[in-house]
Each structure stands twice: as C-alpha cells, then as structure tokens.
Amino acid sequence: MLVEWIAFALVGLVTGGAALLALPSYFRAARRMTPGTALAGALVGGAVAHFSLDGRYPAVSVAAAAVASGVLTSLLARPDHAAGRAPAHRHHPHRPGTHRAQRRHRAV
C-alpha cells in the first residue's frame, strides 16, 4: 500500500509539473496551487480507486489517480487569461445608435 501511495504522489507531481511546463500561460495566478491540486487529486483519486477495487488492481488505481489529477488540475486552467489572447465576452456592450428599431407585430 505504501508503494501505491508513493506512486500516486509521483503521478500527481508529474501531472502538475507537466501542466505548468506545457501551458505556463494558462496557470499564471496559480503557480503554487497547480502542483498541490494535482497532488491532492492524485492521492484522493488513487485512494478511492484502491479501496473501491479492494486493492486488487494497482495499475488501475494509478491510472485513476492520473485521471483524477488531470481533471482537478484542468479546473485551474484559465485560457482566457493566457498571454496574447483577448478576453471573450459573452455579451457585447450596447453602443448608442447601433440598435435596430423594434418591430411591432400586426394584429391579425
């Protein structure tokens, strides 16, 4: 069991490090939080998989740790704050003089 916990921790640290190295601009504000979240996700995901599989399939538990770590790390990614990208606005601000006149429906 101790070896699996070490494997879960290594998977989490590798996932967090890979996220910071591959997409550094997506994790600008959360540089310290990214490896910590990846580590916590791997430990929790690996523990849940280990206990739900009754410890019979350690490779599956490590894979589940990697998936949980990746999912939780992806929650921290902020592509809208990446360098060189303009923020995507859902609604355009109202500009005076650019609206269309409302049509009125005819009574039938």
Side-chain angles (χ1 to χ4, degrees):
M1 176 81 180
L2 180 64
V3 174
E4 285 183 48
W5 284 95
I6 293 171
F8 299 156
L10 288 175
V11 163
L13 292 175
V14 166
T15 304
L20 285 177
L21 289 175
L23 301 167
S25 60
Y26 280 29
F27 300 98
R28 295 179 77 164
R31 291 230 186 258
R32 291 183 183 161
M33 196 181 334
T34 302
T37 302
L39 177 64
L43 290 175
V44 170
V48 167
H50 174 80
F51 290 118
S52 61
L53 296 173
D54 203 25
R56 293 186 186 142
Y57 304 104
V60 176
S61 297
V62 172
V67 169
S69 177
V71 167
L72 285 179
T73 304
S74 71
L75 293 176
L76 297 176
R78 297 293 308 264
D80 56 334
H81 289 177
R85 293 187 69 169
H89 295 290
R90 186 172 275 232
H91 302 287
H92 296 288
H94 175 69
R95 293 183 207 126
T98 59
H99 66 280
R100 293 183 184 178
Q102 299 258 340
R103 292 185 183 184
R104 296 185 182 190
H105 297 289
R106 289 188 298 177
V108 180

